[in-house]
Amino acid sequence: MSRYLLALDQGTTSSRAILFDRQGRIAAIEQKEFAQHYPQSGWVEHDANDIWRSQLEVAQAVLKNNHVKADDIVAIGITNQRETTVVWDRKSGEPVCPAIVWQDRRTAGLCDRLRGEGKEELFARKTGLVLDAYFAGTKLNWILENVPDARARAERGELAFGTVDSWLVYKLSGEHVTDSSNASRSLLFDIHRCEWDDELMAVLQVPRSMLPRVVASSGIAAQAKAEWFGSPLPIAGIAGDQQAATFGQACLREGMVKNTYGTGCFMLMQTGAQAAVSKNKLLTTIGWTLAAEDGAAPQTSYMLEGSIFVAGAVVQWLRDGLGVITKSSDIEALAAQAPDNGGVYFVPAFTGLGTPYWDPYARGSISGLTRGSTKAHLARAALESIAYQTADVLEAMQKDAAIPLKELRVDGGAARNDLLMQFQADMLGVPVVRPQVTETTALGAAYLAGLATGFWHSQEEISAMWQVDRLFEPGMAADLRDELLMRWHKAVGCSRGWMLD
Ligand SMILES: Nc1ncnc2c1ncn2[C@@H]1O[C@H](COP(=O)(O)OP(=O)(O)O)[C@@H](O)[C@H]1O
Ligand SMILES: O=P(O)(O)OC[C@H](O)CO
């Protein structure tokens, strides 16, 4: 009997392959970081072939190193950094240019122009998104306008567009598909009708022939070819990483919220079958679509989302950019050397600011330095910045939500940091709960694939597998919290609009 689900988690900084057993426990894991490219201020690129090769390498390694055969695997679930845009030639399978990463700000001017033409309301109404360079649609427009011959080749039907899920499924199986959660981040997809939208395609000048077929997030979408794992394997789950993490955290009832601390930080609230509209600059997004049974309509779940562009990446910057730590995890001990931030505030707006500011022209700043400031203060300020940004997002979410938040479920690489999690609880004034499995992104993709193939049978079974590792209770006095947040907002003011003359 097949024993495992194979989850492929293609994140912004690394590719991971994880085998999950029937109890939702990690049986084996392989991970590989890959190169980030910053060719100009505000630009972020990946080599799409690096993405594919690193993902294939870890997937093959997790089987080989653990003596697991394709026959032991029920199915593959894929989850991915979202919005990152790949365009490739259908015949050769080669990308026509570097992938434009979700953090890339190069299309901020195009977003301004579309806003000036009064298109903001159209995009908000149909896609649930704000007009920001974050999303895939304007990145795709940029490629068609700037890569030599791209538009002519696209018009002839020679080029395919996809986000990273789509690119990986294409390389694994030859199929050109995406799921509704990823499509909902494109500015081209009507989230209410669950279809690509001609009017949006016309505004962004994207030919329909480039777009992938949209499939359910849980359902057999394609077969990975035998050449990769020894036998064909069904790809039965696909979801954007933040939506998959929401599933992996078992946030399956309305009002449940999770926050994932990876490269960026993303807070998602389950709103059920309703696409709730935010009055506070949150995004409305598709969580997942479950395939229909017995001819019934597919079930789509919606979410409200707050997106922070730089979270764990600020720690990486201290590691790789400044060299003040050698491993990301070293930051906790360094920050703990200072009893508080010593008045230092770090706004890591390296690629602008997301929710609730939506300012592509903001850039990073460090304020409040004195002769007494040390690298421990800087480390502390970096960690605190993650918690302050999250507090800003939660404030927006609480204004939108009818029900006050009881607890925040957390996961992702930086959620392993106890100092950060305690400070986070202090800043939010609600308990922060970390589950035993913090690889919830991969777990969510495994669950989606497992539900489609009968490995697991119901959402109730999945909810029952979620278990607490540690709960962080808020303990800070309200006046100290208010003082810290007041100074944080003052520091944000220094970063806002920095690139504007
Ligand atoms: N102990 C830690 N404290 C703070 N940040 C950490 C810690 N460990 C890892 N990180 C950060 O978490 C991020 C990696 O988390 P991960 O969930 O793998 O992200 P992604 O999926 O975006 O690649 C990196 O940015 C790293 O700097
Ligand atoms: O790589 P992560 O985990 O920070 O996630 C990136 C998001 O999907 C971007 O929207």
Side-chain angles (χ1 to χ4, degrees), residues 221-249:
Q223 296 285 334
K225 292 176 187 162
E227 67 187 281
W228 308 124
F229 304 110
S231 307
L233 280 176
I235 300 170
I238 306 176
D241 55 7
Q242 303 308 323
Q243 290 93 331
T246 312
F247 207 91
Q249 284 273 27

PDB file of all heavy atoms in Angstrom, residues 221-249:
ATOM      1  N   ALA A 221      -4.707  16.836 -11.743  1.00  0.00           N
ATOM      2  CA  ALA A 221      -4.514  17.863 -12.774  1.00  0.00           C
ATOM      3  C   ALA A 221      -3.648  17.351 -13.915  1.00  0.00           C
ATOM      4  O   ALA A 221      -3.801  17.782 -15.067  1.00  0.00           O
ATOM      5  CB  ALA A 221      -3.844  19.085 -12.152  1.00  0.00           C
ATOM      6  N   ALA A 222      -2.722  16.442 -13.628  1.00  0.00           N
ATOM      7  CA  ALA A 222      -1.772  15.977 -14.645  1.00  0.00           C
ATOM      8  C   ALA A 222      -1.022  14.768 -14.086  1.00  0.00           C
ATOM      9  O   ALA A 222      -1.193  14.429 -12.906  1.00  0.00           O
ATOM     10  CB  ALA A 222      -0.773  17.097 -14.951  1.00  0.00           C
ATOM     11  N   GLN A 223      -0.219  14.138 -14.944  1.00  0.00           N
ATOM     12  CA  GLN A 223       0.630  13.023 -14.495  1.00  0.00           C
ATOM     13  C   GLN A 223       2.084  13.412 -14.692  1.00  0.00           C
ATOM     14  O   GLN A 223       2.488  13.767 -15.814  1.00  0.00           O
ATOM     15  CB  GLN A 223       0.372  11.769 -15.368  1.00  0.00           C
ATOM     16  CG  GLN A 223      -1.019  11.172 -15.278  1.00  0.00           C
ATOM     17  CD  GLN A 223      -1.262  10.412 -13.982  1.00  0.00           C
ATOM     18  OE1 GLN A 223      -0.324   9.900 -13.359  1.00  0.00           O
ATOM     19  NE2 GLN A 223      -2.518  10.341 -13.559  1.00  0.00           N
ATOM     20  N   ALA A 224       2.882  13.351 -13.630  1.00  0.00           N
ATOM     21  CA  ALA A 224       4.328  13.587 -13.791  1.00  0.00           C
ATOM     22  C   ALA A 224       4.893  12.406 -14.593  1.00  0.00           C
ATOM     23  O   ALA A 224       4.543  11.248 -14.329  1.00  0.00           O
ATOM     24  CB  ALA A 224       4.991  13.671 -12.427  1.00  0.00           C
ATOM     25  N   LYS A 225       5.753  12.720 -15.569  1.00  0.00           N
ATOM     26  CA  LYS A 225       6.247  11.660 -16.456  1.00  0.00           C
ATOM     27  C   LYS A 225       7.146  10.666 -15.713  1.00  0.00           C
ATOM     28  O   LYS A 225       7.844  11.041 -14.767  1.00  0.00           O
ATOM     29  CB  LYS A 225       7.050  12.299 -17.591  1.00  0.00           C
ATOM     30  CG  LYS A 225       6.197  13.109 -18.554  1.00  0.00           C
ATOM     31  CD  LYS A 225       7.083  13.784 -19.573  1.00  0.00           C
ATOM     32  CE  LYS A 225       6.253  14.729 -20.423  1.00  0.00           C
ATOM     33  NZ  LYS A 225       7.088  15.714 -21.126  1.00  0.00           N
ATOM     34  N   ALA A 226       7.155   9.435 -16.211  1.00  0.00           N
ATOM     35  CA  ALA A 226       7.925   8.363 -15.561  1.00  0.00           C
ATOM     36  C   ALA A 226       9.409   8.696 -15.504  1.00  0.00           C
ATOM     37  O   ALA A 226      10.113   8.239 -14.596  1.00  0.00           O
ATOM     38  CB  ALA A 226       7.701   7.059 -16.325  1.00  0.00           C
ATOM     39  N   GLU A 227       9.885   9.522 -16.444  1.00  0.00           N
ATOM     40  CA  GLU A 227      11.339   9.803 -16.468  1.00  0.00           C
ATOM     41  C   GLU A 227      11.827  10.477 -15.180  1.00  0.00           C
ATOM     42  O   GLU A 227      13.003  10.394 -14.851  1.00  0.00           O
ATOM     43  CB  GLU A 227      11.714  10.656 -17.681  1.00  0.00           C
ATOM     44  CG  GLU A 227      11.153  12.049 -17.648  1.00  0.00           C
ATOM     45  CD  GLU A 227      11.393  12.818 -18.958  1.00  0.00           C
ATOM     46  OE1 GLU A 227      12.505  13.306 -19.142  1.00  0.00           O
ATOM     47  OE2 GLU A 227      10.432  12.937 -19.759  1.00  0.00           O
ATOM     48  N   TRP A 228      10.948  11.132 -14.435  1.00  0.00           N
ATOM     49  CA  TRP A 228      11.422  11.875 -13.259  1.00  0.00           C
ATOM     50  C   TRP A 228      11.536  10.996 -12.017  1.00  0.00           C
ATOM     51  O   TRP A 228      12.459  11.151 -11.237  1.00  0.00           O
ATOM     52  CB  TRP A 228      10.503  13.071 -12.956  1.00  0.00           C
ATOM     53  CG  TRP A 228      10.273  13.956 -14.149  1.00  0.00           C
ATOM     54  CD1 TRP A 228       9.079  14.313 -14.693  1.00  0.00           C
ATOM     55  CD2 TRP A 228      11.280  14.598 -14.948  1.00  0.00           C
ATOM     56  NE1 TRP A 228       9.268  15.138 -15.793  1.00  0.00           N
ATOM     57  CE2 TRP A 228      10.610  15.321 -15.969  1.00  0.00           C
ATOM     58  CE3 TRP A 228      12.672  14.628 -14.924  1.00  0.00           C
ATOM     59  CZ2 TRP A 228      11.294  16.056 -16.939  1.00  0.00           C
ATOM     60  CZ3 TRP A 228      13.352  15.350 -15.885  1.00  0.00           C
ATOM     61  CH2 TRP A 228      12.664  16.056 -16.870  1.00  0.00           C
ATOM     62  N   PHE A 229      10.577  10.078 -11.813  1.00  0.00           N
ATOM     63  CA  PHE A 229      10.583   9.325 -10.548  1.00  0.00           C
ATOM     64  C   PHE A 229      10.550   7.799 -10.754  1.00  0.00           C
ATOM     65  O   PHE A 229      10.385   7.052  -9.798  1.00  0.00           O
ATOM     66  CB  PHE A 229       9.395   9.756  -9.676  1.00  0.00           C
ATOM     67  CG  PHE A 229       9.381  11.245  -9.406  1.00  0.00           C
ATOM     68  CD1 PHE A 229       8.418  12.063  -9.981  1.00  0.00           C
ATOM     69  CD2 PHE A 229      10.361  11.829  -8.617  1.00  0.00           C
ATOM     70  CE1 PHE A 229       8.416  13.440  -9.764  1.00  0.00           C
ATOM     71  CE2 PHE A 229      10.381  13.206  -8.387  1.00  0.00           C
ATOM     72  CZ  PHE A 229       9.409  14.017  -8.961  1.00  0.00           C
ATOM     73  N   GLY A 230      10.639   7.360 -11.996  1.00  0.00           N
ATOM     74  CA  GLY A 230      10.650   5.917 -12.257  1.00  0.00           C
ATOM     75  C   GLY A 230       9.310   5.384 -12.720  1.00  0.00           C
ATOM     76  O   GLY A 230       9.247   4.411 -13.466  1.00  0.00           O
ATOM     77  N   SER A 231       8.214   5.988 -12.293  1.00  0.00           N
ATOM     78  CA  SER A 231       6.856   5.638 -12.747  1.00  0.00           C
ATOM     79  C   SER A 231       6.068   6.940 -12.827  1.00  0.00           C
ATOM     80  O   SER A 231       6.422   7.899 -12.125  1.00  0.00           O
ATOM     81  CB  SER A 231       6.106   4.754 -11.760  1.00  0.00           C
ATOM     82  OG  SER A 231       6.835   3.638 -11.425  1.00  0.00           O
ATOM     83  N   PRO A 232       4.995   6.974 -13.627  1.00  0.00           N
ATOM     84  CA  PRO A 232       4.169   8.192 -13.623  1.00  0.00           C
ATOM     85  C   PRO A 232       3.540   8.389 -12.241  1.00  0.00           C
ATOM     86  O   PRO A 232       3.219   7.422 -11.565  1.00  0.00           O
ATOM     87  CB  PRO A 232       3.077   7.908 -14.666  1.00  0.00           C
ATOM     88  CG  PRO A 232       3.433   6.634 -15.316  1.00  0.00           C
ATOM     89  CD  PRO A 232       4.458   5.927 -14.486  1.00  0.00           C
ATOM     90  N   LEU A 233       3.391   9.664 -11.844  1.00  0.00           N
ATOM     91  CA  LEU A 233       2.742   9.966 -10.556  1.00  0.00           C
ATOM     92  C   LEU A 233       1.698  11.053 -10.768  1.00  0.00           C
ATOM     93  O   LEU A 233       1.983  12.051 -11.445  1.00  0.00           O
ATOM     94  CB  LEU A 233       3.777  10.483  -9.547  1.00  0.00           C
ATOM     95  CG  LEU A 233       4.655   9.455  -8.846  1.00  0.00           C
ATOM     96  CD1 LEU A 233       5.692  10.155  -7.958  1.00  0.00           C
ATOM     97  CD2 LEU A 233       3.795   8.523  -8.005  1.00  0.00           C
ATOM     98  N   PRO A 234       0.501  10.901 -10.196  1.00  0.00           N
ATOM     99  CA  PRO A 234      -0.509  11.948 -10.369  1.00  0.00           C
ATOM    100  C   PRO A 234      -0.159  13.222  -9.596  1.00  0.00           C
ATOM    101  O   PRO A 234       0.294  13.145  -8.454  1.00  0.00           O
ATOM    102  CB  PRO A 234      -1.787  11.320  -9.802  1.00  0.00           C
ATOM    103  CG  PRO A 234      -1.336  10.211  -8.933  1.00  0.00           C
ATOM    104  CD  PRO A 234       0.012   9.758  -9.419  1.00  0.00           C
ATOM    105  N   ILE A 235      -0.361  14.361 -10.255  1.00  0.00           N
ATOM    106  CA  ILE A 235      -0.259  15.652  -9.553  1.00  0.00           C
ATOM    107  C   ILE A 235      -1.694  15.986  -9.158  1.00  0.00           C
ATOM    108  O   ILE A 235      -2.534  16.286 -10.008  1.00  0.00           O
ATOM    109  CB  ILE A 235       0.336  16.734 -10.478  1.00  0.00           C
ATOM    110  CG1 ILE A 235       1.740  16.320 -10.928  1.00  0.00           C
ATOM    111  CG2 ILE A 235       0.364  18.091  -9.761  1.00  0.00           C
ATOM    112  CD1 ILE A 235       2.338  17.178 -12.026  1.00  0.00           C
ATOM    113  N   ALA A 236      -1.993  15.883  -7.845  1.00  0.00           N
ATOM    114  CA  ALA A 236      -3.398  15.911  -7.421  1.00  0.00           C
ATOM    115  C   ALA A 236      -3.741  17.107  -6.535  1.00  0.00           C
ATOM    116  O   ALA A 236      -4.875  17.258  -6.103  1.00  0.00           O
ATOM    117  CB  ALA A 236      -3.741  14.610  -6.701  1.00  0.00           C
ATOM    118  N   GLY A 237      -2.743  17.959  -6.265  1.00  0.00           N
ATOM    119  CA  GLY A 237      -3.008  19.175  -5.478  1.00  0.00           C
ATOM    120  C   GLY A 237      -2.127  20.299  -5.982  1.00  0.00           C
ATOM    121  O   GLY A 237      -0.946  20.070  -6.242  1.00  0.00           O
ATOM    122  N   ILE A 238      -2.708  21.480  -6.145  1.00  0.00           N
ATOM    123  CA  ILE A 238      -1.932  22.676  -6.519  1.00  0.00           C
ATOM    124  C   ILE A 238      -2.545  23.854  -5.764  1.00  0.00           C
ATOM    125  O   ILE A 238      -3.759  24.064  -5.808  1.00  0.00           O
ATOM    126  CB  ILE A 238      -2.042  23.008  -8.033  1.00  0.00           C
ATOM    127  CG1 ILE A 238      -1.671  21.806  -8.912  1.00  0.00           C
ATOM    128  CG2 ILE A 238      -1.169  24.212  -8.384  1.00  0.00           C
ATOM    129  CD1 ILE A 238      -1.856  22.058 -10.412  1.00  0.00           C
ATOM    130  N   ALA A 239      -1.685  24.631  -5.087  1.00  0.00           N
ATOM    131  CA  ALA A 239      -2.186  25.870  -4.473  1.00  0.00           C
ATOM    132  C   ALA A 239      -1.020  26.808  -4.208  1.00  0.00           C
ATOM    133  O   ALA A 239       0.103  26.360  -3.943  1.00  0.00           O
ATOM    134  CB  ALA A 239      -2.913  25.573  -3.160  1.00  0.00           C
ATOM    135  N   GLY A 240      -1.296  28.105  -4.269  1.00  0.00           N
ATOM    136  CA  GLY A 240      -0.308  29.105  -3.878  1.00  0.00           C
ATOM    137  C   GLY A 240       0.118  28.846  -2.441  1.00  0.00           C
ATOM    138  O   GLY A 240      -0.663  28.329  -1.635  1.00  0.00           O
ATOM    139  N   ASP A 241       1.368  29.212  -2.099  1.00  0.00           N
ATOM    140  CA  ASP A 241       1.890  28.776  -0.802  1.00  0.00           C
ATOM    141  C   ASP A 241       1.095  29.322   0.386  1.00  0.00           C
ATOM    142  O   ASP A 241       0.921  28.636   1.389  1.00  0.00           O
ATOM    143  CB  ASP A 241       3.389  29.065  -0.654  1.00  0.00           C
ATOM    144  CG  ASP A 241       3.780  30.514  -0.877  1.00  0.00           C
ATOM    145  OD1 ASP A 241       2.894  31.375  -1.031  1.00  0.00           O
ATOM    146  OD2 ASP A 241       4.998  30.790  -0.883  1.00  0.00           O
ATOM    147  N   GLN A 242       0.594  30.545   0.284  1.00  0.00           N
ATOM    148  CA  GLN A 242      -0.121  31.102   1.437  1.00  0.00           C
ATOM    149  C   GLN A 242      -1.482  30.445   1.623  1.00  0.00           C
ATOM    150  O   GLN A 242      -1.938  30.230   2.755  1.00  0.00           O
ATOM    151  CB  GLN A 242      -0.248  32.618   1.309  1.00  0.00           C
ATOM    152  CG  GLN A 242       1.098  33.290   1.172  1.00  0.00           C
ATOM    153  CD  GLN A 242       2.073  32.872   2.266  1.00  0.00           C
ATOM    154  OE1 GLN A 242       1.681  32.681   3.411  1.00  0.00           O
ATOM    155  NE2 GLN A 242       3.344  32.722   1.918  1.00  0.00           N
ATOM    156  N   GLN A 243      -2.131  30.133   0.519  1.00  0.00           N
ATOM    157  CA  GLN A 243      -3.417  29.437   0.616  1.00  0.00           C
ATOM    158  C   GLN A 243      -3.198  28.007   1.123  1.00  0.00           C
ATOM    159  O   GLN A 243      -3.951  27.503   1.957  1.00  0.00           O
ATOM    160  CB  GLN A 243      -4.114  29.417  -0.749  1.00  0.00           C
ATOM    161  CG  GLN A 243      -4.615  30.788  -1.181  1.00  0.00           C
ATOM    162  CD  GLN A 243      -3.622  31.558  -2.040  1.00  0.00           C
ATOM    163  OE1 GLN A 243      -2.416  31.389  -1.932  1.00  0.00           O
ATOM    164  NE2 GLN A 243      -4.137  32.416  -2.913  1.00  0.00           N
ATOM    165  N   ALA A 244      -2.131  27.360   0.616  1.00  0.00           N
ATOM    166  CA  ALA A 244      -1.825  25.993   1.076  1.00  0.00           C
ATOM    167  C   ALA A 244      -1.534  25.998   2.578  1.00  0.00           C
ATOM    168  O   ALA A 244      -1.976  25.108   3.313  1.00  0.00           O
ATOM    169  CB  ALA A 244      -0.633  25.438   0.307  1.00  0.00           C
ATOM    170  N   ALA A 245      -0.800  27.038   3.051  1.00  0.00           N
ATOM    171  CA  ALA A 245      -0.502  27.104   4.489  1.00  0.00           C
ATOM    172  C   ALA A 245      -1.788  27.260   5.297  1.00  0.00           C
ATOM    173  O   ALA A 245      -1.916  26.716   6.395  1.00  0.00           O
ATOM    174  CB  ALA A 245       0.455  28.250   4.775  1.00  0.00           C
ATOM    175  N   THR A 246      -2.753  27.986   4.747  1.00  0.00           N
ATOM    176  CA  THR A 246      -4.030  28.169   5.447  1.00  0.00           C
ATOM    177  C   THR A 246      -4.738  26.813   5.576  1.00  0.00           C
ATOM    178  O   THR A 246      -5.312  26.483   6.624  1.00  0.00           O
ATOM    179  CB  THR A 246      -4.924  29.175   4.697  1.00  0.00           C
ATOM    180  OG1 THR A 246      -4.140  30.321   4.374  1.00  0.00           O
ATOM    181  CG2 THR A 246      -6.117  29.599   5.518  1.00  0.00           C
ATOM    182  N   PHE A 247      -4.656  26.010   4.515  1.00  0.00           N
ATOM    183  CA  PHE A 247      -5.231  24.659   4.551  1.00  0.00           C
ATOM    184  C   PHE A 247      -4.441  23.783   5.530  1.00  0.00           C
ATOM    185  O   PHE A 247      -5.010  23.060   6.354  1.00  0.00           O
ATOM    186  CB  PHE A 247      -5.205  24.038   3.148  1.00  0.00           C
ATOM    187  CG  PHE A 247      -6.280  23.024   2.929  1.00  0.00           C
ATOM    188  CD1 PHE A 247      -7.508  23.390   2.410  1.00  0.00           C
ATOM    189  CD2 PHE A 247      -6.071  21.683   3.257  1.00  0.00           C
ATOM    190  CE1 PHE A 247      -8.514  22.444   2.211  1.00  0.00           C
ATOM    191  CE2 PHE A 247      -7.063  20.740   3.063  1.00  0.00           C
ATOM    192  CZ  PHE A 247      -8.291  21.126   2.538  1.00  0.00           C
ATOM    193  N   GLY A 248      -3.103  23.888   5.462  1.00  0.00           N
ATOM    194  CA  GLY A 248      -2.237  23.086   6.339  1.00  0.00           C
ATOM    195  C   GLY A 248      -2.414  23.446   7.807  1.00  0.00           C
ATOM    196  O   GLY A 248      -2.187  22.618   8.689  1.00  0.00           O
ATOM    197  N   GLN A 249      -2.803  24.689   8.081  1.00  0.00           N
ATOM    198  CA  GLN A 249      -3.067  25.124   9.463  1.00  0.00           C
ATOM    199  C   GLN A 249      -4.490  24.772   9.877  1.00  0.00           C
ATOM    200  O   GLN A 249      -4.944  25.156  10.960  1.00  0.00           O
ATOM    201  CB  GLN A 249      -2.897  26.648   9.578  1.00  0.00           C
ATOM    202  CG  GLN A 249      -1.458  27.094   9.603  1.00  0.00           C
ATOM    203  CD  GLN A 249      -0.901  27.069  11.033  1.00  0.00           C
ATOM    204  OE1 GLN A 249      -1.348  26.306  11.876  1.00  0.00           O
ATOM    205  NE2 GLN A 249       0.096  27.886  11.280  1.00  0.00           N
TER     206      GLN A 249
END
